Amino acid sequence: MTTAQATLEAPARDARPGGKAPYLHQIDLFRLITFACVILIHVVGATNFAQDVGANAVETPLHFTREAFFALTGFVLVFQNRRREFTAGDFWRRRLPLVATPYLAWSMFFWAYSLVTGGQQPGSLEASMRLLLADLVTGGAWYHLYFLLVTMQVYLLFPVLMKLLRATEGKHRWLLLGSGLVQVGVTLFMTYQPLGVSYETITHLYGTILPYQFYTLFGAVVAMHFETVHAWAGRHRLLLGGAFVAVLAGTEWYYLRTVHSGTFPQVASDPFQPYLIPWFLTVIAAIYAFATRWAARRREGSRGARVVSWAANRSFSIFLVHPLALALLGPVIPVVAEHFGAPWLSVVIYLGTIVLTVLIVEVLRRLPGSRALTGRPRLRRAKAAA
């Protein structure tokens, strides 16, 4: 059997009882790669000056992570439910607590952490409570919590999304086209806001589904046509690899050209710059194609399979915890900077953040409140040993 044939057959290998959708191991690797890039972009931002041209050149392509996450969310939800009926109430009861509980727990934790460390100084108990309420509404308690807030919005709208996909069967390309035009309009509005629209208004959009609706729908449509899209990706991995290199080069060229024309590097690399949309779609497709090749060659029980499975199981927990680990390493950054110049400072802090994050996650996973703190059930000793 050729690698291409194995790749095309991969989805059917792990069919599960009860009519459940087959387990896609390529999604585990896709998730792992994306989370690793999330940590990297946050570390690069924490270890370099905000207007550093080189650092922003690294961050520019790494902004794909948020779009990839919402594409993955739309894909997984639709893939699991496309061939079965469900009620909105049952879906919400199963799904919303998985995100809402960690969102509340970590929002309150980071709100308290900011008060203790001096990051926020509201001045009175009443002001502190108003700050907490604002953080809960906007996802602003820490810089990564908007993702959970938007994910809950995706869950709330998912029953409507499924009805829309089924009602427009055969016309999904037009659905995507319309959504794509809206996406372009939204990014233009956020990047070149009209007169009278404050920057605060723009920042509030980050915590809504509007800037991510196209990517969520993109993942959902792919899931509806999974067999066809999966086969195409398996046949065109070289094409996707070439597109990845070409679009990445074009993206960096446009970023540098924008900076050279007088735009601040941080503005030129903003994640909602319209010129990044082709890159986001290209990198999402390329990573999936790479992941399918790995899945086709994956051997059950091998070291690589165990590592990816272990990391995928903890990926959401790592996402929740890694900003805390990076904040705890903050006092160490100047010390490390004295001994290592760029880019080694970022490399050292990146490795340190991963190690500290994993240690914290392993502790939290064994505490009684694990589900609230990590989004995953508590690890028992016997299960951990197994």
Side-chain angles (χ1 to χ4, degrees), residues 43-114:
V43 168
V44 171
T47 54
N48 292 274
F49 294 110
Q51 297 301 338
D52 185 280
V53 175
N56 280 280
V58 173
E59 291 183 56
T60 297
L62 291 175
H63 284 308
F64 83 90
T65 53
R66 63 182 73 194
E67 285 74 18
F69 277 140
F70 290 113
L72 182 62
T73 300
F75 173 87
V76 171
L77 291 178
V78 173
F79 186 73
Q80 291 176 343
N81 294 282
R82 61 179 179 157
R83 291 175 178 166
R84 64 182 182 183
E85 296 299 326
F86 64 92
T87 64
D90 179 62
F91 174 82
W92 291 333
R93 281 192 297 272
R94 287 186 295 107
R95 281 284 182 170
L96 277 174
L98 300 178
V99 176
T101 306
Y103 176 73
L104 291 173
W106 283 103
S107 291
M108 288 187 288
F109 171 83
F110 281 115
W111 165 79
Y113 181 84
S114 296

Coordinates of all heavy atoms in Angstrom, one line a residue, residues 43-114:
V43 N 5.7 33.9 23.8 CA 7.1 34.1 24.3 C 7.8 35.1 23.5 O 8.5 35.9 24.1 CB 7.8 32.7 24.3 CG1 9.3 32.9 24.5 CG2 7.2 31.8 25.3
V44 N 7.7 35.1 22.2 CA 8.4 36.1 21.4 C 7.9 37.5 21.8 O 8.7 38.4 21.9 CB 8.1 35.8 19.9 CG1 8.6 37.0 19.0 CG2 8.8 34.5 19.5
G45 N 6.6 37.7 22.0 CA 6.1 39.0 22.4 C 6.6 39.4 23.8 O 6.8 40.6 24.0
A46 N 6.8 38.4 24.7 CA 7.3 38.7 26.0 C 8.8 39.0 26.1 O 9.2 39.6 27.1 CB 6.9 37.6 27.0
T47 N 9.5 38.5 25.2 CA 11.0 38.6 25.3 C 11.6 39.6 24.3 O 12.8 39.7 24.1 CB 11.6 37.2 25.0 OG1 11.2 36.7 23.8 CG2 11.3 36.3 26.1
N48 N 10.7 40.4 23.6 CA 11.2 41.4 22.6 C 10.4 42.7 22.8 O 9.3 42.7 23.3 CB 11.1 40.9 21.2 CG 12.0 39.7 20.9 OD1 13.1 39.8 20.5 ND2 11.4 38.5 21.1
F49 N 11.0 43.8 22.3 CA 10.3 45.0 22.4 C 9.2 45.0 21.4 O 9.2 44.4 20.3 CB 11.3 46.2 22.0 CG 12.4 46.4 23.0 CD1 13.7 46.1 22.7 CD2 12.1 46.9 24.3 CE1 14.7 46.3 23.7 CE2 13.0 47.1 25.2 CZ 14.4 46.8 24.9
A50 N 8.1 45.8 21.8 CA 6.9 45.7 21.0 C 7.1 46.1 19.5 O 6.4 45.6 18.6 CB 5.8 46.6 21.6
Q51 N 8.0 47.1 19.3 CA 8.2 47.6 17.9 C 9.4 47.0 17.2 O 9.9 47.6 16.3 CB 8.3 49.1 17.9 CG 7.0 49.8 18.4 CD 5.8 49.4 17.6 OE1 5.9 49.0 16.4 NE2 4.6 49.5 18.1
D52 N 9.9 45.9 17.7 CA 11.1 45.2 17.1 C 10.6 44.6 15.8 O 9.7 43.8 15.7 CB 11.6 44.1 18.1 CG 12.8 43.4 17.5 OD1 12.7 42.6 16.6 OD2 13.9 43.8 18.0
V53 N 11.3 45.0 14.7 CA 10.9 44.6 13.4 C 11.1 43.1 13.2 O 10.2 42.4 12.7 CB 11.8 45.3 12.3 CG1 11.4 44.8 10.9 CG2 11.5 46.8 12.4
G54 N 12.2 42.5 13.7 CA 12.4 41.1 13.5 C 11.4 40.3 14.3 O 10.9 39.3 13.8
A55 N 11.2 40.7 15.5 CA 10.3 39.9 16.4 C 8.9 39.9 15.8 O 8.2 38.9 15.8 CB 10.2 40.5 17.8
N56 N 8.4 41.1 15.3 CA 7.1 41.1 14.6 C 7.1 40.3 13.3 O 6.0 39.8 13.0 CB 6.7 42.6 14.4 CG 6.2 43.2 15.7 OD1 5.0 43.1 16.0 ND2 7.0 44.0 16.3
A57 N 8.2 40.2 12.7 CA 8.3 39.4 11.5 C 8.0 37.9 11.8 O 7.5 37.1 11.0 CB 9.6 39.5 10.8
V58 N 8.5 37.5 13.0 CA 8.3 36.1 13.5 C 6.8 36.0 13.9 O 6.2 34.9 13.6 CB 9.2 35.8 14.6 CG1 8.9 34.4 15.3 CG2 10.7 35.8 14.2
E59 N 6.3 37.0 14.6 CA 4.9 36.9 15.1 C 3.9 36.9 14.0 O 2.8 36.3 14.1 CB 4.6 38.0 16.0 CG 5.4 37.9 17.4 CD 5.0 39.1 18.3 OE1 3.8 39.2 18.6 OE2 5.9 39.8 18.7
T60 N 4.2 37.6 12.9 CA 3.2 37.8 11.8 C 2.6 36.4 11.3 O 1.4 36.3 11.3 CB 3.8 38.5 10.6 OG1 4.1 39.9 11.0 CG2 2.8 38.6 9.4
P61 N 3.4 35.5 10.9 CA 2.8 34.2 10.4 C 2.2 33.4 11.6 O 1.4 32.6 11.3 CB 4.0 33.5 9.7 CG 5.2 34.1 10.4 CD 4.9 35.5 10.7
L62 N 2.7 33.6 12.8 CA 2.3 32.8 13.9 C 0.9 33.2 14.4 O 0.2 32.5 15.1 CB 3.2 32.9 15.1 CG 4.6 32.3 14.9 CD1 5.5 32.6 16.1 CD2 4.4 30.8 14.8
H63 N 0.4 34.3 13.8 CA -1.0 34.7 14.2 C -2.1 33.8 13.7 O -3.2 33.9 14.0 CB -1.3 36.1 13.7 CG -0.6 37.2 14.4 ND1 -0.8 37.4 15.8 CD2 0.1 38.3 14.1 CE1 -0.1 38.4 16.2 NE2 0.4 39.0 15.2
F64 N -1.7 32.8 12.8 CA -2.6 31.9 12.3 C -3.3 31.0 13.4 O -4.4 30.4 13.1 CB -1.9 30.9 11.3 CG -1.2 29.7 12.0 CD1 -1.9 28.5 12.2 CD2 0.1 29.8 12.4 CE1 -1.3 27.5 12.8 CE2 0.7 28.8 13.0 CZ 0.0 27.6 13.2
T65 N -2.7 31.0 14.6 CA -3.2 30.0 15.6 C -4.7 30.3 16.0 O -5.4 29.3 16.1 CB -2.3 30.1 16.8 OG1 -2.2 31.5 17.3 CG2 -0.9 29.6 16.5
R66 N -5.1 31.5 16.1 CA -6.5 31.7 16.5 C -7.4 31.3 15.4 O -8.5 30.7 15.7 CB -6.7 33.2 16.9 CG -6.5 34.2 15.8 CD -6.6 35.6 16.3 NE -5.5 36.1 17.2 CZ -5.5 37.1 18.0 NH1 -6.6 37.9 18.0 NH2 -4.5 37.5 18.7
E67 N -7.1 31.6 14.2 CA -8.0 31.2 13.1 C -8.0 29.6 13.0 O -9.0 29.0 12.7 CB -7.5 31.8 11.8 CG -7.8 33.3 11.6 CD -7.0 34.2 12.5 OE1 -5.9 33.7 13.0 OE2 -7.4 35.3 12.7
A68 N -6.8 29.0 13.2 CA -6.7 27.6 13.1 C -7.6 26.9 14.2 O -8.2 25.9 14.0 CB -5.3 27.1 13.2
F69 N -7.6 27.5 15.4 CA -8.4 27.0 16.5 C -9.8 27.0 16.2 O -10.6 26.0 16.4 CB -8.1 27.8 17.8 CG -6.9 27.3 18.5 CD1 -6.0 28.3 19.1 CD2 -6.6 26.0 18.6 CE1 -4.9 27.9 19.8 CE2 -5.4 25.6 19.3 CZ -4.6 26.5 19.9
F70 N -10.3 28.1 15.6 CA -11.7 28.2 15.3 C -12.1 27.3 14.1 O -13.2 26.8 14.1 CB -12.2 29.6 15.2 CG -12.1 30.4 16.5 CD1 -11.2 31.4 16.7 CD2 -13.0 30.0 17.5 CE1 -11.2 32.1 17.9 CE2 -12.9 30.7 18.7 CZ -12.0 31.7 18.9
A71 N -11.2 27.2 13.2 CA -11.5 26.2 12.1 C -11.6 24.8 12.6 O -12.4 24.0 12.2 CB -10.4 26.4 11.0
L72 N -10.7 24.5 13.6 CA -10.7 23.2 14.2 C -11.9 23.0 15.0 O -12.5 21.9 15.0 CB -9.4 23.0 15.1 CG -9.2 21.7 15.8 CD1 -9.1 20.6 14.7 CD2 -8.0 21.7 16.7
T73 N -12.4 24.0 15.7 CA -13.6 23.9 16.5 C -14.8 23.6 15.6 O -15.6 22.7 15.9 CB -13.8 25.2 17.3 OG1 -12.7 25.4 18.2 CG2 -15.1 25.1 18.2
G74 N -14.9 24.4 14.6 CA -16.0 24.1 13.6 C -16.0 22.8 13.0 O -17.0 22.1 12.9
F75 N -14.8 22.3 12.7 CA -14.6 21.0 12.0 C -15.0 19.9 13.0 O -15.7 19.0 12.6 CB -13.1 20.8 11.6 CG -12.8 19.5 11.1 CD1 -13.0 19.1 9.8 CD2 -12.3 18.5 12.0 CE1 -12.8 17.9 9.3 CE2 -12.1 17.2 11.5 CZ -12.3 16.9 10.2
V76 N -14.4 19.9 14.2 CA -14.7 18.8 15.1 C -16.2 18.7 15.5 O -16.8 17.6 15.5 CB -13.8 19.0 16.4 CG1 -14.2 18.0 17.5 CG2 -12.4 18.8 16.1
L77 N -16.8 19.9 15.8 CA -18.2 19.8 16.1 C -19.1 19.3 15.0 O -20.0 18.4 15.3 CB -18.7 21.2 16.5 CG -18.1 21.9 17.8 CD1 -18.7 23.3 18.0 CD2 -18.5 21.0 19.0
V78 N -18.8 19.7 13.8 CA -19.7 19.2 12.7 C -19.3 17.8 12.3 O -20.2 16.9 12.1 CB -19.5 20.1 11.4 CG1 -20.2 19.5 10.2 CG2 -20.0 21.5 11.7
F79 N -18.0 17.4 12.4 CA -17.6 16.0 12.1 C -18.3 15.0 13.0 O -18.7 13.9 12.6 CB -16.1 15.9 12.1 CG -15.6 14.6 11.6 CD1 -15.7 14.2 10.3 CD2 -15.1 13.6 12.5 CE1 -15.2 13.0 9.9 CE2 -14.6 12.4 12.1 CZ -14.7 12.1 10.8
Q80 N -18.4 15.4 14.3 CA -19.0 14.5 15.3 C -20.5 14.4 15.2 O -21.1 13.4 15.6 CB -18.6 15.0 16.7 CG -17.1 14.8 17.0 CD -16.8 15.4 18.4 OE1 -17.5 16.2 19.0 NE2 -15.6 15.0 18.9
N81 N -21.1 15.4 14.6 CA -22.6 15.5 14.6 C -23.2 15.5 13.3 O -24.5 15.6 13.2 CB -23.0 16.8 15.4 CG -22.6 16.7 16.9 OD1 -23.3 16.1 17.7 ND2 -21.6 17.4 17.2
R82 N -22.5 15.4 12.2 CA -23.1 15.6 10.9 C -24.0 14.5 10.5 O -24.9 14.7 9.7 CB -21.9 15.7 9.8 CG -21.1 14.5 9.7 CD -20.0 14.6 8.7 NE -19.1 13.4 8.6 CZ -18.4 13.1 7.6 NH1 -18.5 13.8 6.5 NH2 -17.7 12.0 7.6
R83 N -23.9 13.3 11.1 CA -24.7 12.2 10.7 C -25.6 11.7 11.8 O -26.0 10.5 11.8 CB -23.8 11.0 10.2 CG -23.1 11.3 8.9 CD -22.2 10.2 8.4 NE -21.6 10.6 7.1 CZ -20.5 9.9 6.6 NH1 -19.9 9.0 7.3 NH2 -20.1 10.3 5.4
R84 N -25.9 12.5 12.7 CA -26.8 12.2 13.8 C -27.6 13.4 14.2 O -27.1 14.5 14.1 CB -26.0 11.6 15.0 CG -25.1 12.6 15.7 CD -24.3 11.9 16.8 NE -23.5 12.8 17.5 CZ -22.7 12.4 18.5 NH1 -22.6 11.2 18.9 NH2 -21.9 13.3 19.1
E85 N -28.7 13.1 14.8 CA -29.6 14.2 15.2 C -29.3 14.5 16.7 O -28.9 13.6 17.5 CB -31.1 13.8 15.1 CG -31.5 13.6 13.6 CD -31.4 14.8 12.8 OE1 -31.6 15.9 13.4 OE2 -31.0 14.7 11.6
F86 N -29.5 15.7 17.1 CA -29.3 16.1 18.5 C -30.1 17.3 18.8 O -30.6 18.0 17.8 CB -27.8 16.5 18.7 CG -27.3 17.7 18.0 CD1 -27.4 18.9 18.5 CD2 -26.8 17.5 16.7 CE1 -26.9 20.0 17.8 CE2 -26.4 18.6 16.0 CZ -26.5 19.9 16.5
T87 N -30.4 17.5 20.0 CA -31.2 18.7 20.4 C -30.2 19.8 20.9 O -29.2 19.5 21.5 CB -32.2 18.4 21.5 OG1 -31.5 17.9 22.7 CG2 -33.1 17.2 21.1
A88 N -30.6 21.0 20.8 CA -29.8 22.1 21.2 C -29.5 22.1 22.7 O -28.4 22.2 23.2 CB -30.4 23.5 20.8
G89 N -30.6 21.8 23.5 CA -30.4 21.7 24.9 C -29.5 20.7 25.4 O -28.6 20.9 26.2
D90 N -29.5 19.5 24.7 CA -28.6 18.4 25.1 C -27.2 18.8 24.7 O -26.2 18.5 25.5 CB -29.0 17.1 24.4 CG -28.1 16.0 24.8 OD1 -28.0 15.6 26.0 OD2 -27.4 15.4 23.8
F91 N -27.0 19.4 23.6 CA -25.7 19.8 23.1 C -25.1 20.8 24.1 O -23.9 20.7 24.5 CB -25.7 20.3 21.7 CG -24.4 20.9 21.2 CD1 -23.5 20.1 20.7 CD2 -24.2 22.2 21.3 CE1 -22.2 20.6 20.3 CE2 -23.0 22.8 20.9 CZ -22.0 21.9 20.3
W92 N -25.9 21.8 24.4 CA -25.4 22.8 25.3 C -25.0 22.3 26.7 O -24.0 22.7 27.3 CB -26.4 23.9 25.4 CG -26.6 24.7 24.2 CD1 -25.7 24.9 23.2 CD2 -27.8 25.4 23.7 NE1 -26.2 25.7 22.2 CE2 -27.5 26.0 22.5 CE3 -29.0 25.6 24.3 CZ2 -28.4 26.8 21.8 CZ3 -30.0 26.3 23.6 CH2 -29.7 26.9 22.3
R93 N -25.9 21.4 27.2 CA -25.6 20.8 28.5 C -24.3 20.0 28.5 O -23.5 20.0 29.5 CB -26.7 19.8 28.9 CG -27.9 20.6 29.5 CD -28.9 19.6 30.1 NE -29.4 18.6 29.2 CZ -30.5 18.8 28.5 NH1 -31.2 20.0 28.6 NH2 -30.9 17.9 27.6
R94 N -24.0 19.4 27.4 CA -22.7 18.6 27.3 C -21.5 19.4 27.1 O -20.4 19.2 27.6 CB -22.8 17.5 26.2 CG -23.7 16.3 26.5 CD -23.7 15.3 25.4 NE -24.2 15.8 24.2 CZ -23.5 16.0 23.1 NH1 -22.2 15.9 23.1 NH2 -24.0 16.5 22.0
R95 N -21.6 20.4 26.2 CA -20.5 21.2 25.7 C -20.1 22.4 26.5 O -19.0 22.7 26.8 CB -20.7 21.5 24.3 CG -20.4 20.4 23.3 CD -19.0 20.2 23.1 NE -18.7 19.1 22.2 CZ -17.4 18.9 21.7 NH1 -16.4 19.6 22.1 NH2 -17.2 17.9 20.9
L96 N -21.1 23.2 26.8 CA -20.8 24.5 27.4 C -20.1 24.4 28.8 O -19.1 25.2 29.0 CB -22.1 25.3 27.6 CG -22.6 26.1 26.4 CD1 -24.0 26.7 26.7 CD2 -21.6 27.1 26.0
P97 N -20.4 23.5 29.7 CA -19.6 23.5 30.9 C -18.2 23.2 30.7 O -17.3 23.6 31.6 CB -20.3 22.3 31.7 CG -21.7 22.3 31.2 CD -21.6 22.6 29.7
L98 N -17.8 22.5 29.7 CA -16.4 22.1 29.4 C -15.5 23.3 29.2 O -14.3 23.3 29.5 CB -16.3 21.2 28.2 CG -17.0 19.9 28.3 CD1 -16.9 19.1 26.9 CD2 -16.5 19.0 29.4
V99 N -16.1 24.4 28.7 CA -15.4 25.7 28.5 C -15.8 26.7 29.5 O -14.9 27.5 30.0 CB -15.7 26.2 27.1 CG1 -15.0 27.5 26.9 CG2 -15.2 25.2 26.1
A100 N -17.1 26.8 29.9 CA -17.6 27.8 30.8 C -16.9 27.7 32.1 O -16.6 28.8 32.8 CB -19.1 27.8 30.9
T101 N -16.8 26.5 32.7 CA -16.2 26.4 34.0 C -14.8 26.8 34.1 O -14.4 27.6 35.0 CB -16.4 24.9 34.5 OG1 -17.8 24.5 34.4 CG2 -15.9 24.8 35.9
P102 N -13.9 26.3 33.2 CA -12.5 26.9 33.2 C -12.5 28.4 32.9 O -11.6 29.1 33.5 CB -11.8 26.1 32.1 CG -12.6 24.8 31.9 CD -14.0 25.2 32.2
Y103 N -13.4 28.9 32.1 CA -13.4 30.3 31.8 C -13.6 31.1 33.1 O -12.9 32.1 33.4 CB -14.4 30.6 30.8 CG -14.6 32.1 30.5 CD1 -13.6 32.8 29.8 CD2 -15.7 32.8 31.0 CE1 -13.7 34.1 29.5 CE2 -15.8 34.2 30.7 CZ -14.8 34.8 30.0 OH -14.9 36.2 29.8
L104 N -14.6 30.7 33.8 CA -14.9 31.4 35.1 C -13.8 31.3 36.1 O -13.4 32.2 36.7 CB -16.2 30.8 35.7 CG -17.5 31.2 34.9 CD1 -18.7 30.4 35.5 CD2 -17.8 32.7 34.9
A105 N -13.3 30.0 36.2 CA -12.2 29.8 37.2 C -11.0 30.6 36.9 O -10.4 31.3 37.8 CB -11.9 28.3 37.2
W106 N -10.5 30.6 35.6 CA -9.3 31.3 35.3 C -9.5 32.8 35.2 O -8.6 33.6 35.5 CB -8.7 30.7 34.0 CG -8.0 29.4 34.3 CD1 -8.5 28.2 34.0 CD2 -6.7 29.2 34.9 NE1 -7.6 27.2 34.4 CE2 -6.5 27.8 34.9 CE3 -5.8 30.1 35.4 CZ2 -5.3 27.3 35.5 CZ3 -4.6 29.6 35.9 CH2 -4.4 28.2 36.0
S107 N -10.7 33.2 34.9 CA -10.9 34.7 34.9 C -10.8 35.2 36.3 O -10.2 36.3 36.5 CB -12.3 35.0 34.3 OG -12.4 34.7 32.9
M108 N -11.4 34.5 37.2 CA -11.3 35.0 38.6 C -9.9 34.9 39.1 O -9.4 35.7 39.9 CB -12.3 34.2 39.5 CG -13.7 34.6 39.2 SD -14.9 33.8 40.4 CE -14.9 32.1 39.8
F109 N -9.2 33.8 38.7 CA -7.8 33.7 39.2 C -6.9 34.8 38.7 O -6.2 35.4 39.4 CB -7.2 32.3 38.7 CG -5.8 32.2 39.0 CD1 -5.3 31.8 40.2 CD2 -4.8 32.5 38.0 CE1 -3.9 31.7 40.5 CE2 -3.5 32.4 38.2 CZ -3.0 32.0 39.5
F110 N -7.0 35.1 37.4 CA -6.1 36.1 36.8 C -6.6 37.5 37.2 O -5.7 38.4 37.3 CB -6.1 36.0 35.3 CG -5.2 34.9 34.7 CD1 -5.7 33.9 34.1 CD2 -3.9 35.0 34.9 CE1 -4.9 32.9 33.6 CE2 -3.0 34.0 34.5 CZ -3.5 33.0 33.8
W111 N -7.9 37.7 37.5 CA -8.3 39.0 38.1 C -7.6 39.2 39.4 O -7.1 40.2 39.7 CB -9.8 38.9 38.2 CG -10.4 40.0 39.1 CD1 -10.6 41.3 38.8 CD2 -10.8 39.8 40.5 NE1 -11.2 41.9 39.9 CE2 -11.3 41.1 40.9 CE3 -10.9 38.7 41.3 CZ2 -11.8 41.2 42.2 CZ3 -11.4 38.9 42.6 CH2 -11.9 40.1 43.0
A112 N -7.6 38.1 40.3 CA -7.0 38.2 41.6 C -5.5 38.3 41.5 O -4.8 39.1 42.2 CB -7.4 37.0 42.4
Y113 N -4.9 37.6 40.5 CA -3.5 37.6 40.3 C -3.0 39.1 39.9 O -2.0 39.6 40.4 CB -3.1 36.7 39.2 CG -1.6 36.6 38.9 CD1 -0.8 35.8 39.6 CD2 -1.1 37.3 37.8 CE1 0.6 35.7 39.3 CE2 0.3 37.2 37.5 CZ 1.1 36.4 38.3 OH 2.4 36.3 38.0
S114 N -3.8 39.7 39.1 CA -3.5 41.1 38.7 C -3.5 42.1 39.8 O -2.7 43.0 39.9 CB -4.4 41.6 37.6 OG -4.3 40.8 36.4

